[in-house]
Amino acid sequence: MPSTRSLRRSSPITLLLAALLALGFLIFIISPSSAASASARIKQASAASNPLSPPTSPYLKQAPKPDGGRRPPPVVHYHLNNLTTSAFPIEGRETVLILTPLARFYQGYWDNLLKLSYPHELISLGFIIPKTRDGNAATAALQAEITKTQMGPEKKRFASITILRQDFEPPILSQDEAERHKMENQKARRASMSKARNSLLFTTLGPSTAWVLWLDSDIIETPPSLVQDMASHDKPIIVPNCFQRYFDKDKNSMSVRPYDYNSWMDSPTAQNLGNSMGYDDVLFEGYAEMATYRSLMAYMSEPAGDNKRLVPLDGVGGTALLVKAEVHRDGAMFPPFAFYHLIETEGFAKMASRLGWHSFGLPNYFVYHYNE
């Protein structure tokens, strides 16, 4: 009768397999998940490698070398020909820089910003704030909201945020709507706005920026899909219609009315007015004493109209203005002086057209301005 094989005997192969299994189990327990490690790698790759990198990339400070010194900043190569601006910006992982000149802080602006459905990790924010009493209050309120957002859920956080304080005095201290829109204040006010926009743009535009969205601080309501909706038209410069909600006493109900009159098609009357003006004189839209008879996009909206309808424009407003970054890189900025008798955003549209970039509007796509 054959002898029974002892259960205590084990082959070397069995022992090796058991050891490998135990080692694999330990690695699985102590190592981070693949998703977490992949996320960490993406963050590391997207971080700026030196403090001189553009603020659209967060800077991760390097650990000092054993001798206490630091490595010299490397030479960084950016291939701008590989940067895309397309009708499908989310699929292309195209970065968006949202820029806001901010004189007052409106909670509705920030709440609306957080509702944007464009991936926040692809959005960088930039603000420029005057050194005034209102500006100081706006800075404090903005920083409080930034802290809550950037310390909150990761999905809500933005890629980077830059705050600038103006290095020049605003010509008009009052931020009351009536005072801001007086015709006699327009040239100085909008020249100052141009300087603020240019300072903000030149400081924050990085080599990875695909789109620039100019969003005024008193825009408190937009569709959550604002960025991708406007980018889907694949136009170099595009602007929606800016309206305002208000209480209509005659109807005893809430209603809407046009607000921004700076998006328009030019007219022979306006061109003749410009030809008769002095070198430094500027045409302003929306004032009875300077009737231009331009076709205003504010009056082109249609009840239940197609919100994808496009119209060509010669002038644009800046309440919610989406610009391909290459337009700014080509040199189109906001003239703080009379440029073909235009200034600020309208002057920008003219300058861009001289560079070969054309502007378009969406008369049936709406954003809403705060009602003071």
Side-chain angles (χ1 to χ4, degrees):
M1 183 176 178
S3 59
T4 304
R5 185 177 181 185
S6 172
L7 294 176
R8 294 184 179 180
R9 294 178 58 196
S10 299
S11 69
I13 295 176
T14 303
L15 293 173
L16 179 61
L17 290 173
L20 289 174
L21 183 62
L23 181 61
F25 180 75
L26 286 173
I27 291 173
F28 176 78
I29 292 296
I30 65 175
S31 66
S33 68
S34 59
S37 59
S39 176
R41 287 195 298 271
I42 291 172
K43 285 184 178 180
Q44 183 67 34
S46 65
S49 55
N50 64 82
L52 298 180
S53 292
T56 43
S57 298
Y59 171 58
L60 297 183
K61 191 174 181 180
Q62 293 179 347
K65 294 191 294 184
D67 62 2
R70 292 193 180 278
R71 300 176 183 87
V75 175
V76 184
H77 295 263
Y78 296 98
H79 300 282
L80 294 182
N81 287 337
N82 297 334
L83 190 65
T84 63
T85 48
S86 69
F88 306 98
I90 295 179
E91 293 82 348
R93 303 288 294 172
E94 295 168 5
T95 56
V96 178
L97 176 62
I98 300 180
L99 298 180
T100 299
L102 188 144
R104 279 183 179 176
F105 179 81
Y106 295 94
Q107 188 62 46
Y109 162 86
W110 187 259
D111 293 342
N112 183 74
L113 200 63
L114 294 180
K115 293 175 186 174
L116 292 180
S117 59
Y118 200 83
H120 285 200
E121 71 267 19
L122 297 177
I123 297 176
S124 291
L125 306 179
F127 301 91
I128 187 165
I129 307 174
K131 291 183 178 179
T132 61
R133 179 178 295 179
D134 283 344
N136 293 339
T139 302
L142 175 64
Q143 289 179 325
E145 291 300 323
I146 287 173
T147 299
K148 284 195 293 185
T149 299
Q150 299 301 86
M151 296 290 287
E154 192 165 350
K155 188 177 180 181
K156 292 286 187 182
R157 300 176 194 170
F158 297 100
S160 69
I161 301 176
T162 302
I163 300 176
L164 305 180
R165 298 303 299 269
Q166 284 180 199
D167 57 355
F168 53 89
E169 293 295 327
I172 304 170
L173 294 178
S174 173
Q175 286 301 309
D176 291 336
E177 188 172 4
E179 190 67 23
R180 292 202 317 267
H181 291 289
K182 284 182 179 178
M183 187 173 175
E184 59 266 28
N185 291 334
Q186 290 312 294
K187 186 175 181 181
R189 172 182 167 269
R190 296 192 67 186
S192 178
M193 281 294 299
S194 293
K195 292 178 182 178
R197 289 185 187 275
N198 292 334
S199 294
L200 184 56
L201 173 67
F202 299 153
T203 306
T204 57
L205 184 67
S208 63
T209 304
W211 299 89
V212 178
L213 173 62
W214 293 95
L215 190 65
D216 276 1
S217 63
D218 35 23
I219 296 301
I220 59 171
E221 182 185 345
T222 70
S225 53
L226 174 70
V227 174
Q228 54 267 45
D229 287 348
M230 291 204 293
S232 69
H233 296 275
D234 198 19
K235 298 299 182 184
I237 304 166
I238 190 167
V239 63
N241 225 344
C242 181
F243 272 44
Q244 185 181 59
R245 298 191 188 278
Y246 75 104
F247 185 78
D248 189 332
K249 293 180 181 179
D250 294 333
K251 297 179 180 179
N252 199 33
S253 63
M254 293 299 295
S255 187
V256 296
R257 59 192 173 196
Y259 184 85
D260 189 355
Y261 297 99
N262 292 334
S263 297
W264 40 260
M265 298 177 185
D266 212 353
S267 70
T269 301
Q271 292 173 7
N272 290 335
L273 274 174
N275 292 336
S276 66
M277 285 181 157
Y279 181 77
D280 286 327
D281 292 335
V282 178
L283 280 167
F284 296 109
E285 195 53 64
Y287 296 91
E289 55 267 50
M290 191 180 282
T292 63
Y293 298 100
R294 290 165 172 157
S295 298
L296 307 183
M297 190 174 73
Y299 297 130
M300 296 180 192
S301 63
E302 306 160 320
D306 180 8
N307 67 2
K308 293 184 179 180
R309 176 190 167 208
L310 271 176
V311 296
L313 295 174
D314 297 301
V316 295
T319 52
L321 175 67
L322 186 68
V323 182
K324 289 189 175 185
E326 59 188 312
V327 177
H328 285 311
R329 290 194 184 100
D330 273 2
M333 52 82 164
F334 302 90
F337 48 83
F339 183 77
Y340 290 85
H341 304 291
L342 302 172
I343 200 169
E344 206 218 347
T345 57
E346 294 157 294
F348 161 74
K350 183 66 175 180
M351 189 176 293
S353 72
R354 297 286 294 168
L355 290 165
W357 301 104
H358 300 293
S359 302
F360 295 86
L362 297 167
N364 295 318
Y365 190 99
F366 301 101
V367 300
Y368 294 93
H369 193 279
Y370 179 80
N371 187 356
E372 297 184 27

